[in-house]
Amino acid sequence: MTPADAEALRLRALQAVEGVCDPEIPVLTIADLGVLRDVAIRDGRVEVTITPTYSGCPAMNMIQFEIEMALDRAGIGGGRVRTVLSPAWTTDWMTEDGRRKLREYGIAPPVPGSGRRALFGVDVVACPRCGSERTEVVAEFGSTSCKALWRCLECREPFDYFKCH
Amino acid sequence: MATTSIQVNETPLVLYLLRRADDALILGHRLSEWIGLGPILEEEMALGNIGLDLIGQARSLYAYAAEAEAAGNDEDTFAYLRDAPQYRNLLLAEQPNGDFGQTMVRQLFYSAFADLYWRAMTGSHDTTLAAVAAKSEKESAYHLRHSSEWVIRLGDGTEESHARVQESVDLLWPYTGEMFECDAAERTLADGRTVIDPATLRNAWDGTIGAVLSRATLTLPQNGWMQSGGRTVRHSEHLGHLLSTMQHVQRTYPGAAW
């Protein structure tokens, strides 16, 4: 395989996989999330590298399957998906576009700069519907490991918050 | 036809990894026992999520152990095909859930340790362990926060909640010493900066626990004799029952997947 052929294949593979969506939050792609780390050609085969979000995230199996399907649909055979743990995924890797899509979907995006949360510390989270910062946490653990349940004291609507991690 | 247990070649690294993975799996399993029985919906979610985080940590550690042992085992054979005299978890993890307050006290004791431990382990010279630590540390911080808030609420609550949670604190206290043990095999790993000596975390842990119990108006137990043995496969009567539930399906239908 010539370097030019390899690069062409890599770009085709990248285009196929960067649109794979998070199964739980279908407006976000794995590129938006920062879960997709690399698409490379090794020994003539496509190798896609991903990093898991939360330790026990059950969506990762599905994401891996979706990546393999996406490569298949693009007519790329023999591709493989590799999971790396290091460097550890952080919400800081979420793109601005990703944050905007979350907000539009009704989920408050993670507050950037995920430092360690102090015991009993509080984030200031803006309501994704009305934008008010007069919000409060209802439950630290939501329907998925990555989300918490908040409510807006201004417009009175509850909303999910994608936790800093 | 039930499947017999595997044998594991426990090099120092494999032994270390199985200990930490078993802690997370057994405690995660205990939390899963609350599913369908949570006192309120938000706690149903919380207990499930905390358990899921722990099981995820266990999976990463078992996967690394499988790689390190290189004997054809994987996360499933480690989890489902070892019997109680092969499990290396802390005795604290296998203690029964008791009431909700007791579950929160157990979680507080464990998470206060895990938070410190994984934070220190982010400096491990082993890049895989450092990466597992980086994830686990953030998750443990949430677990600590959640369990602290409940222990405070219950301790500084009604006469009944206070009495019950004080009883849980006194009951589980003798299981806390084991978290800080470090035997010869782990010491060699600690000398090589692969792992840390958990004894170095004792003061910080005491500080965290002291602050939470004080705010909860609970009495800190006197440090007396501490239970030990989980690390050297001498378990309480509870582990066998736990594993028989957890492993029943795999041992009855070997290799079943869904």
Side-chain angles (χ1 to χ4, degrees):
Chain A
M1 188 179 279
T2 68
D5 285 341
E7 182 56 15
L9 176 61
R10 195 190 74 82
L11 287 173
R12 260 179 61 218
L14 178 63
Q15 205 170 26
V17 307
E18 66 187 354
V20 167
C21 286
D22 182 314
E24 274 292 333
I25 309 170
V27 294
L28 286 185
T29 67
I30 54 176
D32 289 329
L33 271 171
V35 160
L36 179 65
R37 303 297 299 142
D38 190 35
V39 178
I41 308 294
R42 288 205 207 300
D43 305 321
R45 295 165 60 192
V46 170
E47 184 182 80
V48 178
T49 304
I50 55 175
T51 298
T53 52
Y54 276 74
S55 288
C57 178
M60 292 311 294
N61 281 356
M62 191 65 195
I63 286 173
Q64 176 159 337
F65 178 71
E66 293 283 348
I67 291 171
E68 289 163 359
M69 292 299 296
L71 289 173
D72 219 47
R73 274 194 298 270
I76 297 170
R80 68 183 206 103
V81 180
R82 192 172 79 105
T83 300
V84 296
L85 292 180
S86 172
W89 181 81
T90 158
T91 46
D92 288 349
W93 289 357
M94 194 181 292
T95 62
E96 265 316 302
D97 216 37
R99 285 167 208 273
R100 180 189 52 80
K101 287 181 193 174
L102 269 182
R103 206 175 292 117
E104 285 166 8
Y105 188 65
I107 298 175
V111 174
S114 64
R116 269 190 50 72
R117 303 184 70 187
L119 199 57
F120 314 122
V122 176
D123 283 328
V124 175
V125 174
C127 171
R129 283 180 187 78
C130 76
S132 170
E133 284 183 350
R134 279 186 62 230
T135 59
E136 66 181 8
V137 63
V138 174
E140 278 288 359
F141 296 90
S143 52
T144 61
S145 284
C146 51
K147 302 204 289 282
L149 184 62
W150 283 61
R151 88 173 120 226
C152 179
L153 299 170
E154 200 65 52
C155 72
R156 311 305 295 183
E157 290 291 329
F159 60 91
D160 271 327
Y161 169 53
F162 199 114
K163 292 186 288 193
C164 278
H165 188 68
Chain B
M1 186 71 148
T3 305
T4 52
S5 299
I6 57 168
Q7 291 306 310
V8 182
N9 179 23
E10 286 176 329
T11 61
L13 180 62
V14 170
L15 176 62
Y16 167 81
L17 292 168
L18 289 179
R19 284 171 168 170
R20 298 297 182 270
D22 289 347
D23 289 345
L25 180 65
I26 296 303
L27 190 54
H29 179 87
R30 277 294 188 218
L31 292 173
S32 78
E33 291 173 351
W34 275 103
I35 300 303
L37 304 171
I40 51 175
L41 185 60
E42 284 79 8
E43 280 319 299
E44 181 90 9
M45 312 261 53
L47 293 163
N49 270 320
I50 297 173
L52 188 62
D53 281 348
L54 289 169
I55 291 171
Q57 291 168 20
R59 292 188 67 190
S60 299
L61 292 164
Y62 283 135
Y64 188 26
E67 194 187 299
E69 195 205 8
N73 283 315
D74 63 16
E75 54 181 338
D76 290 323
T77 58
F78 284 138
Y80 293 118
L81 298 182
R82 283 182 305 143
D83 207 346
Q86 295 168 285
Y87 260 76
R88 299 273 184 184
N89 55 281
L90 295 165
L91 296 174
L92 180 65
E94 72 198 44
Q95 298 312 302
N97 288 331
D99 61 21
F100 177 70
Q102 185 164 314
T103 293
M104 285 296 115
V105 170
R106 183 187 61 202
Q107 199 63 48
L108 169 66
F109 288 164
Y110 180 80
S111 300
F113 174 77
D115 175 65
L116 292 165
Y117 186 78
W118 291 119
R119 187 147 69 257
M121 282 293 290
T122 56
S124 167
H125 284 195
D126 181 313
T127 49
T128 306
L129 282 176
V132 169
K135 305 212 80 55
S136 306
E137 184 241 334
K138 298 186 221 193
E139 290 157 8
S140 300
Y142 277 106
H143 305 167
L144 173 59
R145 174 171 159 158
H146 191 78
S147 52
S148 302
E149 292 183 347
W150 270 114
V151 170
I152 289 168
R153 207 164 305 165
L154 293 169
D156 188 19
T158 65
E159 213 173 282
E160 175 162 5
S161 72
H162 179 93
R164 283 197 188 206
V165 83
Q166 181 67 63
E167 206 177 296
S168 297
V169 166
D170 296 339
L171 179 74
L172 294 176
W173 189 255
Y175 296 99
T176 58
E178 193 181 15
M179 295 189 287
F180 303 98
E181 291 175 3
C182 185
D183 62 10
E186 273 192 32
R187 197 161 302 286
T188 55
L189 291 175
D191 292 339
R193 312 280 278 287
T194 302
V195 308
I196 59 139
D197 179 351
T200 59
L201 306 172
R202 185 80 216 220
N203 285 344
W205 185 86
D206 281 337
T208 302
I209 297 300
V212 173
L213 293 187
S214 163
R215 219 170 131 183
T217 73
L218 293 165
T219 307
L220 187 70
Q222 301 278 43
N223 266 323
W225 180 78
M226 289 291 177
Q227 291 274 12
S228 181
R231 292 301 192 216
T232 49
V233 301
R234 285 174 3 255
H235 289 281
S236 70
E237 68 273 27
H238 305 294
L239 184 64
H241 295 287
L242 186 160
L243 292 179
S244 69
T245 302
M246 195 182 92
Q247 300 182 342
H248 172 78
V249 174
Q250 270 298 310
R251 290 202 188 246
T252 313
Y253 302 103
W258 60 90

